[in-house]
Amino acid sequence: MTTCRLCGSADLAGVVDLGATPPCELFLTAEQLDQPEQTYPLHLRVCTSCWLAQLPPLITPEDTFTEYAYFSSYSTSWVEHARVFVAGLTLKPGAFVVEVASNDGYLLQHVVERGVRCLGIEPSANVGRAAVERGVPTVTEFLTPELGRRIRQEHGPADVVVANNVYAHIPDVVGFTEGLRALVADDGLVSIEVQHLLTLMELNQYDTIYHEHFQYYTVASAQRALASGGLTLVDVELLPTHGGSIRLLARPRGEPSHRVTDVLALEKAAGLHDLSGYADFAARVAKVRRDLLRFLIDAAEEGRTVAGYGAPGKGNTLLNHCGIRTDLLPYTVDRNPYKHGRFTPGTRIPILPPETIARDRPDYVLVLPWNLRSELVEQLSFVREWGGRLVFPIPRLVVVS
């Protein structure tokens, strides 16, 4: 990477280098285990001109999202989060709602239930089919300015455009933002949810750094990105989702609220508008790695059994960075049947159905989707029946009885 993808500056500073890993969502079949895997550098840098944190665009969205392993509806708490959001929308008669990266219809199903006209834009054909089966109209394409204009012409401008957990996934920030602007009505609203770099840095959430996340936003960098495509950030909300996210509310025109000013001040105080806030991140990441490896090695030496729970993309960054293999983690389980019988990229750990844990009764369950801690502590409460304990590796290693 030689220049910033948002502002074009050549002033990029290294934040943390996680080595080289395969793309985190390319789960292997048994037939692929004897084949080589392509790996790519995972080196996060920050632009010292516009403060956009970013990875080089070494893979394309087409590499990841044409067929995708992530189905949003397998997270109960995420579906509820979407339901609450839709319930809070004030929609006039005849309103039109569009969601970009609509996945399996986890959000728009609630719009359909309200009897409101809607459309999903989802590039992954397999995931989009699940949305259609839920009764959610879905277009299988990537958002571009051209597609945005075409949908506007065919369906009319959207009163609300939603883009959850996708603004980090596109290397062409300006073009994607122009696509959002093309979709939304002149008096409409764009709602974007994306992980907040502030919490990523403060809570050592380095496992959310992976190749399909091309950039990592502060409100300051998001404000610049939105402006590049003709949108004005008018409000921001701090959310607990994904370990700490921001909901960016933008319009074609308007003025920033006091909450935008307040969060900008928080970021500045944390040193994220200069290099000071990035200085010790790599050292803290190294400690997370050492602590987890020490725990797993000690457990193995003591004859304790360990199983994993979940096979999220972030888990594959963690497993690969720590060099964890089947001698320390014999398998992990996942609720998504798509992943059953497959293997984690790079580390090649088998992914099995969730009931395997109750059958094997391991001493420890390493929870890889740590961001769902509240949901999973309840979901995995049965592990206590045999004295098993849950292990959360981030933001620091915690063992829960």
Side-chain angles (χ1 to χ4, degrees), residues 91-175:
L91 299 171
K92 61 189 179 185
F96 180 43
V97 177
V98 174
E99 184 180 14
V100 183
S102 50
N103 201 265
D104 60 3
Y106 75 99
L107 184 144
L108 288 180
Q109 64 182 338
H110 305 298
V111 177
V112 171
E113 288 170 1
R114 288 185 60 175
V116 174
R117 191 165 58 99
C118 67
L119 181 68
I121 301 173
E122 172 52 53
S124 302
N126 64 317
V127 180
R129 280 193 297 271
V132 172
E133 290 169 3
R134 280 194 170 92
V136 176
T138 303
V139 173
T140 305
E141 292 189 54
F142 289 94
L143 178 64
T144 62
E146 294 75 22
L147 177 63
R149 287 191 288 269
R150 192 174 84 223
I151 289 176
R152 187 189 187 104
Q153 184 175 15
E154 293 175 1
H155 299 271
D159 298 279
V160 178
V161 176
V162 182
N164 288 345
N165 303 321
V166 64
Y167 209 41
H169 292 69
I170 36 92
D172 183 6
V173 181
V174 177

Side-chain angles (χ1 to χ4, degrees), residues 26-30 33 339 341-346 348-351:
L26 293 184
F27 295 93
L28 303 173
T29 63
L33 292 180
K339 299 178 183 179
R342 295 180 184 247
F343 299 79
T344 58
R348 302 182 172 213
I349 292 169
I351 306 169

Side-chain angles (χ1 to χ4, degrees), residues 4-16:
C4 172
R5 67 170 53 92
L6 178 57
C7 73
S9 170
D11 297 325
L12 301 174
V15 177
V16 65

Side-chain angles (χ1 to χ4, degrees), residues 57-81:
L58 298 174
I59 63 173
T60 69
E62 289 78 8
D63 293 331
T64 301
F65 298 111
T66 303
E67 172 108 359
Y68 198 37
Y70 179 73
F71 289 71
S72 296
S73 293
Y74 284 106
S75 171
T76 305
S77 61
W78 183 241
V79 174
E80 175 62 12
H81 173 77

Side-chain angles (χ1 to χ4, degrees), residues 7 31 77 127 131 150 163 182 199 201 220 225 238 275 292 295-296 303 354 358 361:
C7 73
E31 294 74 25
S77 61
V127 180
R150 192 174 84 223
T199 50
M201 301 290 294
L238 299 180
L275 280 176
L292 178 56
F295 172 83
L296 293 174
R361 299 190 163 208

